[in-house]
Amino acid sequence: MKIAIVGAGYVGLVTGVCLADFGHDVVCIDKDQRKIDALERGEIPIYEPGLTELVKSNVASGRLSFSTELKSVVPDAEAVFIAVGTPSRRGDGHADLSYVYAVAREVATSVKGFTVVITKSTVPVGTGDEVAHIIATTNPNADVAVVSNPEFLREGAAIDDFKRPDRIVVGIEDERARPVMTEVYRPLYLNQAPLMFTGRRTAELIKYAANAFLAMKITFINEIADLCEATGADVQQVARGMGLDNRIGTKFLNAGPGYGGSCFPKDTLAMVKIGQDFESPMRLVETTVAINDQRKRAMSRKVIAACGGDVRGKTIGVLGLTFKPNTDDMREAPSIDIIQGLIDRGARVVAYDPQGMGAARELIGNIEFGTNAYDVAVGADALVLITEWNEFRSLDLDRLKGVMKSAVLVDLRNVYRHDEVAKHGFEYSSIGRPAGGAPDSAAEAAE
Ligand code: UGA
């Protein structure tokens, strides 16, 4: 099948390359000539494990190509995916749909024959109706079915998520789109991934509801972590004890410094706005947003407390800057607020991240960088682990202690255990776990 993907950003690129890998003929279109030139040279603008290799092999097989010319690609396509950005609109948190609508207008004047136009970008409820309206008014002769097909990819695991999804959600209003979408996803369907057909508005809402629920789940366990600290309980064991109930599930119950990234913060805000627009308030989501915002600054207070209540003139080493591991994405990363909070209180911050330092340099003023975990520990009054990259999971604690000014470790991802770190002479604090550690349950000990 011939497929055009408009927008060669994160979602567009991953979708395009995976669909090409399924055997479709895919052209990824982007207005940015430099981005297209780089992609043609095999240079991938984002860090995503496995993406570079997959792009190369599919370009080599002739199934994947790149173009800046929407008008020359779209007429041949049976399916056109819109995968352009929907950033938060400045001021009100609404998703900015101007890019989506601009593409809809261009697609309207370029399509030939029956074409399925699919919104992959995360868009508020009703956007598909508007896209259909724009296409119909721009070119009354255009024969299109507008479909909503939200993506559920996680950065750092996007290719695996695309190829082994929990489900594929397809919102249609025109039955002619059903066989086309079934054909697009046929390889996954053969792998028994549930292909859920529903109405277009329902599909749009599923995406926001899923992200808001996950953000709320994380926020819930973060509040439970605070309660654990106040009561001497252990949040990891609370999460496990809750999560073993199949109705709850163990995933997304890792307490931490608050969620970040390009999706949860933007989508929760947009969901609050959608609720207001439809006079159906999303009060749980509103509260989630507020709690998560406050949490990031609370984390710098936690570091300050671990440093004896004052960080003026002290050196804090930071391990990990990106909003999560295996990405170079710094958008809404908790590290930004945490580090700013420390710098505002007079600390000198030296950070290391395997992929995020380039972006961090632009976002955080007065920060210094090291070349690895041991380098940022030199002369530090405390080390703070903010992002759980694998290379921070088994640090040589004696070596760290040897170069630090004082052996203080603040672990905002609960990577270490109190007893093992204390054994090496560290003062250790983590999230929602008592200093002595709660005894493991019999079930865990038996594992
Ligand atoms: C998220 C969703 O997980 C995807 O399903 C969705 O497709 C995507 O947004 C999107 O809308 O495009 P992503 O933002 O890549 O994916 O990252 P997540 O793995 O969901 O992590 C988000 C944030 O939550 C990170 O800051 C992470 O550290 C934090 N988190 C996650 C926790 O603090 N605890 C957890 O247990 C899980």
Side-chain angles (χ1 to χ4, degrees):
M1 178 181 281
K2 285 193 180 339
I3 297 175
I5 314 265
V6 188
Y10 189 80
V11 171
L13 204 52
V14 172
T15 305
V17 70
C18 289
L19 291 178
D21 210 46
F22 290 168
H24 297 303
D25 281 331
V26 178
V27 184
C28 286
I29 304 159
D30 204 291
K31 277 196 169 357
D32 184 341
Q33 182 75 52
R34 278 192 309 184
K35 187 188 270 185
I36 292 298
D37 290 346
L39 285 166
E40 281 178 337
R41 288 193 302 271
E43 293 165 19
I44 310 302
I46 46 173
Y47 174 78
E48 178 65 35
L51 188 59
T52 306
E53 297 74 14
L54 209 61
V55 168
K56 276 192 184 143
S57 65
N58 281 283
V59 168
S61 71
R63 287 191 301 266
L64 178 65
S65 58
F66 303 99
S67 172
T68 52
E69 296 298 319
L70 185 146
K71 287 193 184 316
S72 61
V73 176
V74 164
D76 288 334
E78 293 153 80
V80 179
F81 281 85
I82 302 179
V84 291
T86 54
S88 280
R89 205 161 62 189
R90 213 177 276 266
D92 66 1
H94 250 304
D96 178 350
L97 297 171
S98 53
Y99 302 109
V100 172
Y101 294 156
V103 172
R105 275 188 288 273
E106 251 192 290
V107 167
T109 54
S110 313
V111 284
K112 286 229 159 56
F114 174 64
T115 310
V116 178
V117 176
I118 306 127
T119 316
K120 201 71 175 132
S121 309
T122 297
V123 292
V125 185
T127 303
D129 301 354
E130 186 59 24
V131 168
H133 175 74
I134 287 172
I135 295 176
T137 48
T138 310
N139 177 8
N141 295 322
D143 186 13
V144 300
V146 176
V147 165
S148 163
N149 172 216
E151 58 86 16
F152 301 103
L153 312 174
R154 284 164 307 161
E155 289 188 22
I159 291 171
D160 205 51
D161 281 352
F162 196 95
K163 292 190 165 184
R164 272 173 281 276
D166 290 340
R167 77 306 202 186
I168 304 143
V169 173
V170 181
I172 59 173
E173 298 298 322
D174 178 339
E175 272 303 317
R176 292 180 302 164
R178 188 185 290 260
V180 177
M181 294 307 289
T182 305
E183 180 58 21
V184 167
Y185 285 111
R186 199 166 54 87
L188 294 180
Y189 194 56
L190 295 177
N191 284 346
Q192 314 218 310
L195 186 53
M196 175 183 169
F197 281 97
T198 177
R200 202 162 53 202
R201 288 188 164 220
T202 304
E204 289 167 344
L205 197 52
I206 287 171
K207 167 69 188 185
Y208 278 108
N211 270 5
F213 188 84
L214 291 170
M216 203 170 69
K217 196 173 179 188
I218 296 166
T219 303
F220 180 83
I221 202 66
N222 284 341
E223 280 208 317
I224 294 288
D226 291 346
L227 188 59
C228 285
E229 285 176 23
T231 57
D234 182 320
V235 72
Q236 279 181 315
Q237 293 188 29
V238 173
R240 185 165 156 76
M242 285 168 60
L244 286 173
D245 182 330
N246 284 334
R247 293 168 303 175
I248 297 174
T250 49
K251 291 182 180 159
F252 276 63
L253 282 181
N254 294 314
Y259 61 77
S262 62
C263 304
F264 288 170
K266 166 172 81 73
D267 293 350
T268 44
L269 272 183
M271 185 143 204
V272 167
K273 276 289 162 200
I274 295 168
Q276 287 167 355
D277 288 353
F278 286 87
E279 292 181 23
S280 180
M282 293 285 105
R283 284 184 289 260
L284 285 173
V285 185
E286 272 171 35
T287 307
T288 299
V289 170
I291 296 171
N292 194 64
D293 280 349
Q294 288 154 13
R295 185 162 187 84
K296 300 178 191 173
R297 282 285 171 146
M299 290 297 114
S300 23
R301 290 196 291 277
K302 188 179 181 74
V303 177
I304 293 166
C307 292
D310 188 13
V311 288
R312 188 160 300 280
K314 291 188 176 163
T315 299
I316 311 291
V318 166
L319 304 179
L321 294 163
T322 49
F323 81 99
K324 67 174 193 177
N326 299 324
T327 175
D328 58 359
D329 201 336
M330 282 293 299
R331 282 177 284 180
E332 306 288 332
S335 66
I336 301 170
D337 286 354
I338 299 171
I339 293 171
Q340 200 56 59
L342 295 172
I343 291 175
D344 289 350
R345 293 284 297 269
R348 168 178 173 247
V349 175
V350 188
Y352 165 69
D353 186 282
Q355 294 292 335
M357 295 194 287
R361 206 182 294 278
E362 310 289 315
L363 290 166
I364 312 170
N366 294 327
I367 182 177
E368 296 167 46
F369 295 101
T371 51
N372 57 48
Y374 302 98
D375 189 31
V376 302
V378 174
D381 294 274
L383 261 189
V384 186
L385 197 162
I386 303 184
T387 314
E388 70 281 31
W389 286 89
N390 272 342
E391 64 181 84
F392 302 145
R393 287 184 180 275
S394 50
L395 293 167
D396 180 339
L397 296 173
D398 288 331
R399 184 173 163 201
L400 283 178
K401 185 164 181 259
V403 296
M404 290 177 73
K405 192 164 165 201
S406 42
V408 175
L409 177 60
V410 184
D411 176 1
L412 301 182
R413 296 289 183 171
N414 288 349
V415 166
Y416 288 92
R417 290 170 57 106
H418 188 274
D419 50 356
E420 64 181 348
V421 181
K423 215 165 55 196
H424 293 270
F426 273 84
E427 271 178 51
Y428 177 72
S429 47
S430 59
I431 302 284
R433 298 185 302 174
D440 286 346
S441 69
E444 272 178 321
E447 272 178 5

